[in-house]
Amino acid sequence: MKKIISLLVTAAMCVSMVACGGNNQTNSNASGSNTGAGETKITLWTYPVGKFGDEATVKGFIDNFNKVYPEIKVNVEFLSYKDGDNQVTAALEAGTAPDLILEGPERLVSNWGAKGKMVDISDLWTDTKADIDAQSPAIAAACNKDGVYYEYPFCMTTHCMAINYDVFEKAGALQYLDLENRTWTTENFVKAMEAVKKSGLVQETGVVYCGGQGGDQGTRALVTNLYSAQFTNPEHTKYVIDEANGVKGLELIKEMTDKGILSYDAGIQASEELQLFANGTAAVSFCWNAANEANYASQVNFKPYAMAFPSDDGKPELAGGIWGFGIFDNGDQARIDASKKFIKFICDDETQAKESVKATGFFPVKASYGNVYAGTADEERMAGYTTMMTYLGDYYNVAPNWAEQRTAWWNMLQSIFSGTSVKDATAKYVSEVNK
């Protein structure tokens, strides 16, 4: 009898260990794990893409997801653009990467995907690629590398700049802007900034920030548009800002800062520059988009007016943004499958998908979704950004060495403002990033 009881106790202990994961061979790191009884736990990390940086909004979406998939538990962590990349790098090195991450192709595809850290999610594209291509073939092109898709997108926009309309009006600078089309020439940009500077209405006309990579799409777009320069070659295999028109654009910015028409700050990134604009210290922001307008709406006491970047021919080419989800390859198929279900729900569910897009403050990647802001309080405000979607330029963010390029870019700007000639600074920059 004692032997029988002993065997029964031992068996019960073994069953208990298996139920608690004591015999689970899957990767059970900080990212998530299979929890038994048919339940799967996954972790989402999200950069602050509109309200996807807002805890209440994201958890509300997760609650919606759990109404359909109650067996999948989603933990979420919110990243910032200041140190988010460092957090992801550290997690990858430690083997504790999340299951899901929300960001754009420059990280999901060109960085982590190219390094073999992401799951091939090409199967998610099967039923929706035609719809996405109808919006823009550039979207699918940006989300895959060598035919393997590492990102499933749901929203997009064009980045732009903004002016303090009230200050420009009082300074007599609005005459230099095409307000209907939201464009201006390089010549008129200089004249407008001179008028704002002369008015003395603000502490700063505009600040060229170069304290890090945050919001670097703004300074790149400013430089390339001034004289219609290209940032990379058409094949996206080489950085070419050292060519004549790129050099000319950088020289103009340096000249304007030397004259005090603009200023620069080697200690700030876009978030600080946006704050200077929002509190009325600076008359323009070089890092604007629809989401930023919504995020800073409660802080501004003036009319922010979105504008395309100035260009020599008045025909801007704006940098685009595409955002979606990728899955880190943590070696657990159950978590990968659960992550795919989450992606499809957030991006494709008939009810949820449009709400997901609206939460970002951007536009859908699917042509069939039409105007998701029609009939909402944001319809009129978003109309101006819709105008600028027609100025979307080449999506060069998928060029090699993108992460290295971003660091080299702000280092180059600092070098130029410290006195290095533009030709020498750009030559050093391309020698570093074109390896």
Side-chain angles (χ1 to χ4, degrees), residues 18-19 24 33-42 66 69-73 334-335 338 341:
V18 172
N24 192 342
S33 64
N34 293 327
T35 57
E39 185 177 282
T40 302
K41 179 181 175 183
I42 59 175
N66 283 143
Y69 298 102
E71 75 281 6
I72 301 173
K73 303 305 178 185
R335 282 158 55 192
K341 289 177 180 177

Side-chain angles (χ1 to χ4, degrees), residues 215-235:
D216 53 0
Q217 75 277 353
T219 53
R220 291 196 307 270
L222 176 62
V223 170
T224 54
N225 271 279
L226 288 172
Y227 294 104
S228 301
Q230 297 301 308
F231 195 68
T232 72
N233 62 2
E235 298 78 23

Side-chain angles (χ1 to χ4, degrees), residues 8 10 47 53 56 65 98 105 119 137 148 173 185 194 226 229 252 261 301 350 352 361 382 384 392-393:
L8 289 171
T10 301
Y47 282 81
F65 172 72
V119 172
V148 178
T185 65
E194 287 174 338
L226 288 172
L252 176 61
I261 304 170
N301 58 6
E350 185 176 346
Q352 176 63 47
M382 293 301 291
L392 183 63

Side-chain angles (χ1 to χ4, degrees), residues 319-376:
I322 300 170
W323 292 272
F325 295 93
I327 302 173
F328 283 110
D329 191 353
N330 288 320
D332 187 322
Q333 192 59 47
R335 282 158 55 192
I336 291 172
D337 292 342
S339 297
K340 287 182 177 181
K341 289 177 180 177
F342 182 82
I343 291 173
K344 293 295 282 184
F345 178 81
I346 295 295
C347 302
D348 292 346
D349 179 80
E350 185 176 346
T351 302
Q352 176 63 47
K354 292 183 180 180
E355 295 305 312
S356 301
V357 173
K358 286 190 282 188
T360 66
F362 297 140
F363 300 92
V365 297
K366 290 184 178 180
S368 64
Y369 284 2
N371 181 7
V372 297
Y373 299 100
T376 71

